[in-house]
């Protein structure tokens, strides 16, 4: 192994046009231990508090041959001992970022361990001002906006500090037994901890790079719960990888870590960038009238009429029908029409970010397919075609308990997007538990408990046609494939017996708030309550252990004359605060509807009937078309409103329809703190 100090210039790039040069006049920030002749990517590693570049020498050797590791050497240690230690994290990040400025010829990945994760995060922010960081790995480190609760090590005696060092590991005990080396270790540790204690980061500070959290299973200092908020600090994807070892597994379990890093880097290199949704518009113009083929209209508000032409009256009535007179459905649309967008100009918006973090995942867009029962009513492939169309568009989905295909079949057909399972709570607790366990086993990421359907609504369209799909055996797949449900059937049960048993146990009208404790104890999955309109119910949801709420009136299909969901959104958001996920559905039809919902406090919306109309018209392709149109309009609405991200959508940019002047802007004098 040969350590090389790198002065990286256009004429001297390792593995490109010549050998690395040894920097003799002034120590460099970067070290390389195992040169790759033609690396496909750089992996830049930032050491922990008290650490040095040499911490990563073993990892460098273990990496795949096409990934070259560059280790950051902080001032004040080893060959840079004559320099003073850094005064703050920004100085470390700036030094490393400046040294990496010419490393744009290959994809650049940053990795930080413990304190180094914060330095790598800040370096990523600086690098993204002028270039792109392909990915950020953070190890053994809480998110930057969290209080790390670090002790003041300057107030600790040397002996007490050594006890803490030995507890975490990472320093050979022989160094702690020798007075000179022990003094050097403690000197660096105290200096770096002063830097760490002085660091502050605003909760809304984000990088564009995807963040992968590396969490050691036996780390005594960090937990999975503490790591979740890293998702809030990226507009890209987010993942958590749990691996073996303790706090210093990154530098001790190098074989396992090298494979993990290699997999992520190679996957990232192979991933094609996602085109902005708004590119649908030039695509359609360039195709022209002759290249259109069969495609539903891009005006999503017309699809209901088109679907009516292709569906049997009973099927159309089931999908499009309302409760009572339809007053709730009309109220939902009127609520959106009462708000007007007041755009801002000359913001220099070239590309927008539609992604949102939810429950540890980064959704590509703030839209999910709403749970709709018995989708084979409108298309033979039902939910299978719907989730494939959603995957094509990069959109997540919520699967109904009353689906025509089992949750396992749908999971197998789905792509990599996060997926949620909507639960109608059966009155048989063994069936309820079995459904939840199957959702967990099928990698559904959250549960959506619908609470606004203790009974079917009064729906004249269904009543006039005498049609309910469940009575024809549609929408029962999750029950007929469930062992607990099957155990309750007589041995010779025919279809009518199955339907009767389903009707007897499929819902639980006696459910009360107190019953939620059982579900909360049953699963560790996040749980959202769907069907919340009153702010007091939102507060009760949180008090009973729920993780989020969905503001919804079931699209007007349950109770006629209900308040519009959008009208209830502001009050619900105020009741639960800013940290609790709040979604909404009911009446969403266009990209600008999504803008308004997010501006009024929603984290994301659920889209229901429009994708069902697309499914009826063209199956998987119809669903994909509906979602592409919705996201294209949302993308363009951001650009035309002067917003670079969906996080910029606030109530300030809306005005009531009767008053087309924007409200007074809120004070925005405080800048993000990134000391």
């Amino acid at each position: 192994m040969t350590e090389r100090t790198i002065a990286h210039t256009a004429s001297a790039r390792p593995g490109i046009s010549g050998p690395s040069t040894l920097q003799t006049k002034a120590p460099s920030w970067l070290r390389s231990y195992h040169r790759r002749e033609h690396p496909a990517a750089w992996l830049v590693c930032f050491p922990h508090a008290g650490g040095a570049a040499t911490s990563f020498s073993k990892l460098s050797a273990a990496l795949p041959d096409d990934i070259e590791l560059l280790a950051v050497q902080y001032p004040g240690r080893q060959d840079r001992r004559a320099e003073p230690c850094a005064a703050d994290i920004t100085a470390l990040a700036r030094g490393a970022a400046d040294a990496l400025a010419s490393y744009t010829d290959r994809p650049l990945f940053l990795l930080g361990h413990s304190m180094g994760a914060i330095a790598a995060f800040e370096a990523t922010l600086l690098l993204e001002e002028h270039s792109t960081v392909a990915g950020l790995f953070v190890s053994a480190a809480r998110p930057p906006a969290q209080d790390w609760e670090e002790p003041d090590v300057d107030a600790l005696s040397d002996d007490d500090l050594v006890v803490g060092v030995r507890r975490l590991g990472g320093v050979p005990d022989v160094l702690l037994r020798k007075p000179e080396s022990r003094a050097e270790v403690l000197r660096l540790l105290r200096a770096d901890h002063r830097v760490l204690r002085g660091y502050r980061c605003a909760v809304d500070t984000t990088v564009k790079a995807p963040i992968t959290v590396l969490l050691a299973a036996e780390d005594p200092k960090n937990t999975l719960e503490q790591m979740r908020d890293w998702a809030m600090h990226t507009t890209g994807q987010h993942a958590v990888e749990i691996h073996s070892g303790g706090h210093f597994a990154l530098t001790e379990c190098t074989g396992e870590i090298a494979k993990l890093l290699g997999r992520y880097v190679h996957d990232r290199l192979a991933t094609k960038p996602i085109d902005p949704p708004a590119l649908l518009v030039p695509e359609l113009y360039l195709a022209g009238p002759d290249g259109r083929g069969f495609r539903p209209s891009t005006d999503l508000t017309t699809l209901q009429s088109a679907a009516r032409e292709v569906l049997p009256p009973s099927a159309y009535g089931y999908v499009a029908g309302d409760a009572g007179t339809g007053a709730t459905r009309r109220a939902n649309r009127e609520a959106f029409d009462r708000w007007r967008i007041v755009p801002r100009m000359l913001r220099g918006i070239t590309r927008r970010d539609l992604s949102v973090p939810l429950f540890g995942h980064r959704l590509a867009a703030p839209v999910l397919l709403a749970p709709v029962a018995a989708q084979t009513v409108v298309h033979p492939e039902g939910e299978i075609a719907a989730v494939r169309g959603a995957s094509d568009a990069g959109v997540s989905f919520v699967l109904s308990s009353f689906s025509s295909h089992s949750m396992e079949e749908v999971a197998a057909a789905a792509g990599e997007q996060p997926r949620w399972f909507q639960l109608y709570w059966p009155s048989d607790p063994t069936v309820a538990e079995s459904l939840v366990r199957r959702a967990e086993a099928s990698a559904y990421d959250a549960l959506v408990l619908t609470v606004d359907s203790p009974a079917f609504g009064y729906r004249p369209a269904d009543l006039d046609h005498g049609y309910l799909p469940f009575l024809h055996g549609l929408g029962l797949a999750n029950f007929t494939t469930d062992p607990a449900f099957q155990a309750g059937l007589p041995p010779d049960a025919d279809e009518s017996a199955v339907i009767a048993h389903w009707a007897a146990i499929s819902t639980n009208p006696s459910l009360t708030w107190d019953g939620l404790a059982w579900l909360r104890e049953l699963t560790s999955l996040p749980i959202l309550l769907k069907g919340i309109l009153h702010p007091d119910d939102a507060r009760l949801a949180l008090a009973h252990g729920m993780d989020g709420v969905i503001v919804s009136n079931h699209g007007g299909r349950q109770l006629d004359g209900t308040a519009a969901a959008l009208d209830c959104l502001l009050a619900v958001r105020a009741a639960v605060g800013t940290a609790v996920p709040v979604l909404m559905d009911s009446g969403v039809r266009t990209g600008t509807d999504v803008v308004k919902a997010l501006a009024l406090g929603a984290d994301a919306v659920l889209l229901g009937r429009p994708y069902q109309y697309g499914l009826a018209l063209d199956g998987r392709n119809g669903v994909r078309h509906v979602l592409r149109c919705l996201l294209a309009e949302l993308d363009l609405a951001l650009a035309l409103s002067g917003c670079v991200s969906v996080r910029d959508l606030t109530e300030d940019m809306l005005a009531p329809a009767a008053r087309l002047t924007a409200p007074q802007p809120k004070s925005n004098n405080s800048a993000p703190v990134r000391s």
Side-chain angles (χ1 to χ4, degrees):
M1 179 190 75
T2 301
E3 178 178 345
R4 300 188 337 279
T5 302
I6 296 175
H8 192 72
T9 66
S11 61
R13 292 178 176 175
I16 300 173
S17 60
S20 301
T21 59
L22 186 65
Q23 184 83 319
T24 57
K25 293 184 179 179
S28 168
W29 282 80
L30 303 177
R31 304 287 181 273
S32 177
Y33 298 100
H34 301 88
R35 176 172 177 164
R36 270 53 170 169
E37 290 302 322
H38 300 286
W42 310 110
L43 177 64
V44 184
C45 297
F46 291 71
H48 55 279
T54 49
S55 302
F56 299 106
S57 60
K58 290 182 180 179
L59 180 60
S60 174
L63 285 171
D65 290 340
D66 59 347
I67 302 173
E68 182 165 343
L69 186 146
L70 306 175
V72 175
Q73 184 74 298
Y74 301 150
R77 63 212 69 205
Q78 294 184 341
D79 60 340
R80 300 190 66 181
R81 194 180 191 287
E83 302 174 64
C85 291
D88 54 49
I89 292 288
T90 303
L92 295 178
R94 174 60 68 186
D98 289 347
L100 292 167
S102 58
Y103 278 79
T104 57
D105 54 320
R106 299 285 192 273
L108 189 63
F109 294 82
L110 273 57
L111 182 154
H113 179 60
S114 196
M115 183 191 81
I118 300 302
F121 176 77
E122 289 292 331
T124 300
L125 285 168
L126 295 170
L127 289 165
E128 287 183 340
E129 293 177 2
H130 306 288
S131 60
T132 300
V133 175
L136 173 61
F137 299 96
V138 293
S139 166
R142 295 191 193 182
Q146 278 191 17
D147 180 359
W148 280 34
E149 301 175 346
E150 290 292 324
D152 182 358
V153 298
D154 288 331
L156 298 177
S157 69
D158 286 357
D159 289 341
D160 288 339
L161 190 50
V162 167
V163 170
V165 171
R166 284 188 169 126
R167 182 176 70 90
L168 292 179
V171 179
D173 203 58
V174 64
L175 296 180
L176 296 176
R177 290 198 300 267
K178 293 181 179 181
E180 290 184 2
S181 56
R182 166 178 156 142
E184 179 66 3
V185 168
L186 298 187
R187 178 185 72 86
L188 293 175
L189 197 59
R190 293 184 193 279
D192 289 348
H193 268 260
R194 284 193 288 271
V195 167
L196 188 56
R197 290 199 308 276
Y199 177 74
R200 299 291 184 274
C201 178
V203 294
D204 59 352
T205 304
T206 58
V207 296
K208 301 180 184 71
I211 292 180
T212 304
V213 179
L214 307 180
L215 177 62
E218 291 84 37
D219 188 345
K221 195 172 181 180
N222 298 295
T223 66
L224 178 60
E225 189 62 32
Q226 292 167 341
M227 299 300 105
R228 294 190 190 280
D229 283 351
W230 271 108
M232 307 300 295
H233 291 286
T234 175
T235 60
Q237 295 177 331
H238 168 263
V240 177
E241 283 283 349
I242 300 177
H243 55 84
S244 60
H247 190 72
F248 282 93
L250 185 73
T251 55
E252 294 170 348
C253 306
T254 52
E256 178 184 354
I257 298 299
K259 288 181 181 179
L260 190 157
L261 293 172
R263 172 166 58 86
Y264 267 90
V265 170
H266 291 151
D267 286 350
R268 183 69 177 170
L269 295 178
T271 301
K272 296 180 180 178
I274 299 175
D275 289 333
L279 288 184
L280 173 66
V281 172
E283 174 187 318
L284 295 179
Y285 281 134
L286 291 173
D290 297 331
R292 175 179 173 81
F294 173 75
R295 186 188 296 121
S297 172
T298 56
D299 180 354
L300 301 184
T301 64
T302 69
L303 298 187
Q304 180 174 345
S305 297
R308 186 170 194 165
E309 298 299 317
V310 301
L311 287 173
S314 59
Y316 173 79
Y318 171 73
V319 174
D322 302 311
T325 65
T328 302
R329 174 186 53 78
R330 293 191 298 273
N332 286 333
R333 289 306 309 154
E334 291 164 359
F336 281 102
D337 290 340
R338 281 196 293 272
W339 290 101
R340 296 288 187 264
I341 300 169
V342 184
R344 300 299 302 275
M345 299 296 122
L346 298 176
R347 296 294 186 92
I349 308 299
T350 58
R351 181 163 179 160
R352 283 72 57 194
D353 177 21
L354 273 60
S355 67
V356 293
L358 275 176
F359 301 119
H361 293 274
R362 174 67 60 170
L363 274 60
V367 178
L368 301 93
L369 295 192
V372 177
Q375 294 184 28
T376 50
V377 168
V378 299
H379 189 274
E381 295 181 359
E383 294 85 2
I384 300 295
V387 300
R388 285 174 173 163
S391 179
D392 293 341
V395 170
S396 300
F397 67 91
V398 186
L399 180 69
S400 172
S401 284
F402 299 164
S403 56
S404 296
H405 296 274
S406 72
M407 67 179 83
E408 291 84 2
E409 292 177 297
V410 175
E416 297 300 318
Q417 304 299 325
R419 50 181 179 264
W420 300 355
F421 181 71
Q422 177 259 358
L423 180 67
Y424 283 114
W425 193 324
S427 58
D428 184 337
T430 61
V431 176
E433 179 174 357
S434 182
L435 291 173
V436 172
R437 295 300 183 214
R438 289 169 59 198
E440 293 173 332
S442 299
Y444 287 82
D445 300 295
L447 294 179
V448 174
L449 178 62
T450 297
V451 294
D452 61 0
S453 300
F456 285 114
Y458 187 85
R459 302 173 190 169
D462 291 343
L463 294 170
D464 289 348
H465 290 113
Y467 180 74
L468 192 63
F470 316 110
L471 301 183
H472 299 270
L474 302 179
L476 310 187
N478 284 318
F479 291 83
T480 57
T481 58
D482 191 85
F485 178 84
Q486 292 171 345
L489 293 171
D492 57 347
D494 57 11
E495 184 180 35
S496 61
V498 170
I499 293 171
H501 184 49
W502 172 86
I505 63 98
S506 59
T507 59
N508 190 357
S510 66
L511 185 64
T512 67
W513 289 104
D514 292 339
L516 297 182
W518 178 84
L519 183 62
R520 179 68 284 168
E521 293 176 3
L522 179 64
T523 181
S524 61
L525 289 176
I527 306 174
L528 300 93
L529 289 198
K530 181 177 183 294
I532 298 298
L533 295 174
H534 199 291
D536 286 349
D537 282 346
R539 295 186 187 96
L540 283 168
L542 299 188
H544 287 82
M546 301 297 98
D547 301 287
V549 297
I550 300 177
V551 178
S552 170
N553 57 32
H554 220 97
R557 291 170 59 80
Q558 280 297 95
L559 178 61
D560 196 27
T562 304
L566 191 72
D567 286 342
C568 299
L569 182 56
L570 277 171
V572 169
R573 169 55 77 190
V576 301
T578 58
V580 176
V582 174
L583 286 73
M584 72 85 59
D585 68 16
S586 303
V588 177
R589 296 293 180 268
T590 68
T592 53
D593 290 344
V594 181
V595 166
K596 294 173 184 178
L598 269 59
L600 292 172
D603 292 296
V605 303
L606 277 66
L607 185 74
R609 285 183 174 114
Y611 88 83
Q612 285 293 290
Y613 300 143
L615 180 65
L617 292 167
D618 198 16
R620 171 181 181 172
N621 290 333
V623 174
R624 176 177 179 267
H625 172 76
V626 166
L627 293 173
R628 290 191 72 197
C629 290
L630 184 82
L631 297 184
E633 186 176 14
L634 171 59
D635 192 12
L636 288 171
L638 289 179
L640 296 170
S641 301
C643 298
V644 72
S645 164
V646 292
R647 294 187 307 279
D648 297 335
L649 297 173
T650 63
E651 189 183 354
D652 293 344
M653 63 177 296
L654 299 183
R659 178 172 55 85
L660 295 182
T661 56
Q664 282 294 110
K666 295 178 180 177
S667 175
N668 191 25
N669 296 326
S670 59
V673 179
R674 295 199 297 267
S675 59

